[in-house]
Amino acid sequence: MKPNNLICLSLVSLPLMMASCSKDDDKMPPASTSTITIENVLDSRPLVESGTFKNNGASPLIMPGESVTFQFSAAKGQAITFATMYGWSNDLFFAPANPGIQVYQDNGTPVEGDVSSQIRLWDNGTRINQVPGASVSHPGAAEATPKNITEVQGADAQGNTYAAAASLMKATLHYEGNSTFTLKITNTSGGTSNPTPFSPGVWAVSYIAGGNLLNPAPLYEAGKPTANGLTNIAEMGDNSALATYLTGQTGIFTPLSPVLVVVYNGIDNPIYKTGEKDRGKGLKELAQKGDASGLAAYLKTVQGVKEVYVLPAANTTVLLPKIGTQAGSSVSQQLSVAEGDRLAIATMYGLSNDWFFASKDNGVDATQKGDISSSIGLFDNGTAVNQFPGAGVTQFNLAGTPLEESKTIEAVPNPNAFTTLPAIPNIIKVTLN
């Protein structure tokens, strides 16, 4: 499945942007001008998580009466989807109807219990079906012309009959807390007219942005040809090819909030200091909500601060990453700088609870030229409980309310407890010219 890149990007939003402003002072005119450019250069992916499952016993097959479980994270509006072969068939597979099993109710309450009613049985369209059962010959005769994927509802095109998918497979959700779920798949086909093993399978969760899933159909699309290795599952129970494809579609997606830029002289970095708690001057709002207005207003009152800007991208309030062939967005600002001036920036990791990118230590020499991306770090503000970035139900930009905590500001480890991030210069690029 090709990722759905036709996203209504105008709906991807972080709050409040603010026009640039400068702090007047009585110092000598600046010695030179410089232009700062900030770019979101992240080569984003549409899936926040994906993985595989199989029976961990002597055989990887999930036989009647056996179960498998796997864990995943999700925010409101996200769904879990999976695919596994109806083992005693030529090319049938089980999967939820797209976009998958919704894991939160409309009011944000996690869904728990039996969700089997959302499971369907599908015909991959690549093999002629035979009477389902242990004697079926695999892989069977190929269709003269491969057909599109269709749902099997009671009978297939050859008239072979099937029990309802929900009677063959039981799926149950359990909420573990902090946006983490466990899905349990149980083979209940043993007491039916269609006993069958299930093959090793795959699962996936799509990012959501502006209320839209970036890829609402990561495994298959009804009415369209099979693709990306699904045939290997449907015909042979081999999940390796589709798992490899999903791995390539899984990674990081995040916008950057309007960027705070400050030029200062004779003082330390006025935005933050690692090892200290948030100072209550507006950084919390930037780190949790992408709102730099309060911090900008405060910095304008700090002695030693010369200029303060909050830089929105053109036509939107956020810097979007690269999505498919569409380049990421950028923003530039001309600065007045003099010998001895320092420069620091801050911007939210948009799909997080309270992570922010910022200049490390005491910023950089504001008069230098070139790529200064190596001077940027990623920090945890310590004011909100962390969840899987892009899959946290309390993340503000996923319509959540952050869970407050009070810890010191620290660098975000990479890899961290949730995911492995690209190198910082592969997410945010900062240049001075």
Side-chain angles (χ1 to χ4, degrees):
M1 226 56 59
K2 293 184 178 179
N4 179 8
N5 290 325
L6 300 179
I7 310 160
C8 184
L9 296 179
S10 63
L11 295 178
V12 184
S13 64
L14 296 173
L16 197 61
M17 68 179 179
M18 166 183 170
S20 65
C21 55
S22 63
K23 184 183 177 183
D24 295 329
D25 56 42
D26 298 325
K27 295 185 178 182
M28 295 293 292
S32 63
T33 60
S34 182
T35 299
I36 186 170
T37 299
I38 301 102
E39 303 171 75
N40 188 334
V41 294
L42 174 65
D43 186 5
S44 69
R45 295 292 182 267
L47 302 182
V48 61
E49 282 188 281
S50 65
T52 62
F53 60 86
K54 65 177 183 177
N55 190 342
N56 291 322
S59 168
L61 298 178
I62 305 154
M63 302 302 293
E66 296 182 329
S67 301
V68 293
T69 63
F70 58 85
Q71 284 192 343
F72 62 94
S73 294
K76 184 180 176 182
Q78 291 177 315
I80 178 68
T81 189
F82 65 86
T84 177
M85 182 187 183
Y86 179 119
W88 285 344
S89 73
N90 288 343
D91 68 339
L92 304 185
F93 65 94
F94 293 97
N98 283 323
I101 299 170
Q102 296 293 325
V103 295
Y104 291 94
Q105 299 176 24
D106 290 342
N107 64 4
T109 301
V111 173
E112 294 195 272
D114 192 337
V115 291
S116 308
S117 63
Q118 299 182 59
I119 309 302
R120 303 286 188 269
L121 181 61
W122 303 92
D123 187 336
N124 194 56
T126 51
R127 296 285 171 180
I128 297 173
N129 294 317
Q130 298 172 286
V131 177
S135 62
V136 68
S137 60
H138 297 298
E143 293 280 4
T145 300
K147 298 177 181 179
N148 293 334
I149 293 173
T150 56
E151 184 179 354
V152 177
Q153 301 184 65
D156 59 28
Q158 284 71 39
N160 302 308
T161 59
Y162 300 86
S167 68
L168 304 176
M169 173 183 291
K170 182 177 182 180
T172 54
L173 276 173
H174 178 67
Y175 185 59
E176 307 293 346
N178 209 32
S179 298
T180 301
F181 292 83
T182 296
L183 181 65
K184 182 178 181 180
I185 297 172
T186 302
N187 188 332
T188 56
S189 68
T192 73
S193 58
N194 298 104
T196 182
F198 304 155
S199 74
V202 297
W203 60 268
V205 178
S206 171
Y207 278 102
I208 189 169
N212 297 316
L213 293 168
L214 299 192
N215 188 349
L219 305 182
Y220 74 97
E221 288 188 67
K224 293 187 178 181
T226 186
N228 306 318
L230 178 60
T231 293
N232 292 35
I233 287 183
E235 292 186 4
M236 299 175 285
D238 179 1
N239 64 353
S240 59
L242 186 51
T244 298
Y245 168 77
L246 291 174
T247 297
Q249 295 296 304
T250 304
I252 304 301
F253 173 91
T254 189
L256 305 176
S257 71
V259 185
L260 178 84
V261 178
V262 57
V263 178
Y264 54 99
N265 195 307
I267 59 174
D268 291 334
N269 187 334
I271 298 174
Y272 77 101
K273 185 176 182 180
T274 56
E276 291 184 354
K277 291 186 177 181
D278 183 274
R279 297 166 182 169
K281 303 299 185 181
L283 179 59
K284 172 183 173 181
E285 287 70 27
L286 182 151
Q288 290 189 10
K289 303 178 181 181
D291 179 1
S293 60
L295 182 56
Y298 163 71
L299 290 174
K300 289 165 60 180
T301 71
V302 174
Q303 188 168 1
V305 171
K306 298 178 64 176
E307 294 184 328
V308 181
Y309 301 88
V310 179
L311 308 180
N315 303 318
T316 182
T317 59
V318 299
L319 297 176
L320 293 167
K322 176 184 177 183
I323 303 173
T325 58
Q326 180 176 331
S329 49
S330 65
V331 67
S332 297
Q333 175 65 48
Q334 184 172 295
L335 309 172
S336 296
V337 295
E339 190 70 27
D341 286 351
R342 308 293 296 177
L343 179 142
I345 74 163
T347 179
M348 181 188 182
Y349 183 115
L351 297 188
S352 72
N353 296 81
D354 67 339
W355 290 358
F356 65 99
F357 294 98
S359 301
K360 293 182 283 190
D361 304 320
N362 195 26
V364 298
D365 177 356
T367 64
Q368 69 175 286
K369 305 297 182 182
D371 189 333
I372 61 168
S373 305
S374 62
S375 69
I376 308 300
L378 179 61
F379 301 90
D380 184 342
N381 193 50
T383 53
V385 176
N386 290 320
Q387 296 169 331
F388 199 108
V393 72
T394 66
Q395 288 166 10
F396 180 82
N397 292 302
L398 293 178
T401 301
L403 297 174
E404 299 291 324
E405 66 177 5
S406 182
K407 296 182 178 179
T408 59
I409 297 171
E410 302 293 349
V412 174
N414 192 25
N416 52 70
F418 305 101
T419 189
T420 299
L421 299 165
I424 302 302
N426 291 333
I427 304 175
I428 179 171
K429 181 177 181 181
V430 184
T431 54
L432 287 171
N433 292 306

